[in-house]
């Protein structure tokens, strides 16, 4: 059975005056998937999000939400969306519960059972009857998520959701978002400029810069994923020779060997080495961070741009 995307963005262009804000933006987000939209401030992330939720007009392209075209069937499409754009706003002198009741009445067909369920899901049961003015920023963010998912949306959109949160608040927020995607099968799109945030949280990251998608990086592992293992093996020289003889790429790094291997091969590799008399003291995957990938990508693209400029200059002489 083919899983259809909840959100499809196809070839979006946006200009303000003569300035191009977005060019050729296309992406999909699937049920239960957390996708990060990563880029520096001014890269076009917030503009794209405002277009997706209907707060800003595009110049070209199409947006489908659960198969409904946003422009032609706006009400049908947008009813599947929950969103927190910038900071969530509430009635400060009302309790958290009263704020959710107010939203439930506006949305319609939301039961008290659903409100209680959502309050528990975001971890606010202990404070839901307190006035919002007494909430910390992290608690207001959680109340914002509760409001955003109250009507059981298929798509949740968050713009810079951890701004102002301390490390404990950020960790708490990540746990709630992961649980939400898993338990309610919600597709989640998060815009952020923080590498560490999207690396900890997202299954896939779309890098946007100067209004263009530059790269897409998958952060979820599967059995085909190639790993680099940091292995402490004895005797080391025999282990290195054995690995080379079996067709594995390996190199010495101090007291360890760095070995490239597919994830599915790891159990059999360890078993065979042990049978052949090689002692295995430790096996540690060496994860390549998103930051390293991002820096490599940036460096490569800067070099290409420079080469292109040099070519143009040479060609014009």
């Amino acid at each position: 059975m083919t899983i259809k995307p909840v959100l499809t963005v196809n070839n979006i262009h946006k200009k303000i005056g003569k300035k191009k804000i977005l060019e050729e933006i296309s992406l999909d987000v699937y049920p239960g998937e957390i996708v990060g939209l990563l880029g520096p401030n001014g890269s076009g992330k917030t503009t794209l999000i405002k277009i997706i939720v209907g707060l800003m007009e595009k110049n070209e392209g199409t947006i489908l939400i659960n198969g409904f075209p946003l422009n032609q069937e706006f009400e049908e499409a947008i009813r599947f969306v929950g969103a927190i754009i910038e900071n969530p706003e509430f009635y400060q002198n009302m309790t958290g519960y009263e704020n959710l009741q107010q939203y439930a009445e506006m949305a319609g067909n939301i039961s008290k059972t659903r409100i209680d369920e959502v309050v528990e899901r975001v971890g606010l049961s202990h404070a839901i009857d307190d006035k919002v003015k007494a909430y910390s920023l992290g608690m207001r963010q959680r109340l914002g998520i509760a409001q955003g998912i109250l009507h059981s949306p298929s798509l949740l959109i968050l713009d810079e959701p951890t701004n102002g949160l301390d490390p404990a608040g950020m960790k708490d927020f990540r746990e709630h978002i992961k649980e939400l995607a898993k338990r309610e099968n919600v597709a989640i799109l998060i815009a952020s400029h923080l590498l560490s945030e999207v690396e900890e949280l997202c299954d896939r990251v779309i890098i946007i810069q100067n209004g263009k998608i530059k790269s897409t990086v998958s952060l979820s592992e599967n059995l085909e994923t190639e790993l680099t293992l940091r292995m402490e093996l004895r005797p080391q020289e025999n282990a290195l020779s054995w690995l080379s003889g079996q067709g594995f790429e390996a190199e010495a790094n101090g007291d360890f060997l760095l070995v490239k291997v597919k994830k599915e091969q790891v159990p059999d590799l360890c078993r065979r080495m042990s049978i052949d008399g090689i002692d295995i003291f430790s096996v540690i995957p060496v994860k390549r961070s998103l930051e390293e990938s991002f820096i490599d990508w940036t460096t490569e693209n800067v070099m290409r741009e420079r080469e292109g400029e040099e070519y143009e200059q040479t060609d014009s002489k």
Side-chain angles (χ1 to χ4, degrees):
M1 180 178 175
T2 303
I3 300 175
K4 295 181 179 179
V6 175
L7 172 67
T8 296
V9 175
N10 184 40
N11 199 33
I12 293 296
H13 290 251
K14 176 64 180 177
K15 290 173 68 176
I16 297 179
K18 293 184 178 180
K19 186 177 181 181
K20 294 179 180 178
I21 308 300
L22 297 173
E23 291 185 71
E24 299 178 351
I25 300 291
S26 296
L27 59 90
D28 292 318
V29 186
Y30 290 85
E33 183 183 34
I34 305 175
V35 174
L37 195 60
L38 176 65
N41 292 328
S43 60
K45 304 186 304 295
T46 298
T47 299
L48 177 59
I49 281 178
K50 286 182 176 179
I51 289 172
I52 292 171
V53 299
L55 295 177
M56 189 177 284
E57 287 290 331
K58 56 184 169 35
N59 295 114
E60 294 179 40
T62 57
I63 293 171
L64 299 177
I65 300 173
N66 264 4
F68 292 98
L70 190 66
N71 273 40
Q72 289 78 20
E73 299 179 69
F74 180 81
E75 289 188 7
E76 283 296 318
I78 210 67
R79 69 186 177 91
F80 293 104
V81 180
I84 302 175
I85 311 298
E86 297 168 349
N87 295 320
E89 297 292 335
F90 301 102
Y91 296 105
Q92 298 295 309
N93 288 314
M94 292 170 60
T95 68
Y97 197 89
E98 287 168 342
N99 271 276
L100 293 181
Q101 280 183 314
Q102 183 85 1
Y103 181 77
E105 288 174 9
M106 291 189 294
N109 298 320
I110 295 175
S111 66
K112 182 182 182 300
T113 301
R114 174 60 181 171
I115 297 175
D116 293 339
E117 178 184 289
V118 165
V119 168
E120 184 177 352
R121 178 136 308 157
V122 300
L124 274 180
S125 298
H126 67 289
I128 199 63
D129 293 319
D130 297 340
K131 290 186 177 180
V132 171
K133 65 182 179 182
Y135 280 19
S136 67
L137 178 58
M139 291 165 70
R140 287 199 297 273
Q141 290 287 63
R142 279 189 271 164
L143 187 62
I145 294 168
Q147 179 179 290
I149 66 171
L150 200 57
H151 62 297
S152 302
S154 303
L155 173 67
L156 180 63
I157 297 177
L158 306 171
D159 185 24
E160 302 287 357
T162 59
N163 271 355
L165 296 183
D166 60 21
M170 292 175 73
K171 181 176 182 295
D172 184 56
F173 170 81
R174 287 196 299 267
E175 289 173 356
H176 285 296
I177 290 298
K178 287 179 180 178
E179 183 76 4
L180 178 64
K182 180 180 177 182
R183 290 290 180 88
E184 300 212 359
N185 206 33
V186 180
I188 301 176
L189 180 65
I190 296 179
S192 178
H193 66 281
L194 300 175
L195 283 161
S196 58
E197 178 175 273
V198 297
E199 186 167 28
E200 287 286 336
L201 185 57
C202 298
D203 303 303
R204 186 160 50 94
V205 177
I206 296 168
I207 298 170
I208 184 169
Q209 191 173 36
N210 297 326
K212 295 182 178 180
I213 290 177
K214 300 295 186 178
S215 182
T216 299
V217 181
S218 175
L219 299 180
S220 58
E221 291 185 353
N222 56 56
L223 291 177
E224 293 299 316
T225 301
E226 187 173 72
L227 306 174
T228 297
L229 300 180
R230 186 171 177 259
M231 304 183 75
E232 186 179 1
L233 306 169
R234 295 288 183 276
Q236 190 183 73
E237 287 187 6
N238 290 2
L240 188 58
S241 176
W242 186 93
L243 287 162
S244 298
Q246 298 296 318
F248 291 99
E249 186 178 336
E251 63 179 65
N253 186 335
D255 293 333
F256 301 90
L257 295 181
L258 297 178
V259 184
K260 289 188 177 179
V261 59
K262 287 185 178 178
K263 188 176 181 179
E264 64 181 356
Q265 296 175 310
V266 174
D268 186 57
L269 171 65
C270 292
R271 181 183 60 80
R272 288 166 55 202
M273 293 183 81
S274 182
I275 290 172
D276 288 349
I278 296 168
D279 293 324
I280 304 170
F281 291 89
S282 65
V283 180
I284 302 171
V286 180
K287 281 190 71 176
R288 180 170 177 78
S289 71
L290 178 61
E291 182 176 28
E292 291 171 318
S293 299
F294 185 76
I295 289 170
D296 282 356
W297 173 85
T298 303
T299 303
E300 288 173 8
N301 279 270
V302 167
M303 292 299 293
R304 287 195 197 103
E305 287 174 5
R306 286 178 180 173
E307 288 171 1
E309 288 172 2
E310 290 172 3
Y311 176 81
E312 287 177 4
Q313 289 171 2
T314 303
D315 194 48
S316 63
K317 289 180 180 178

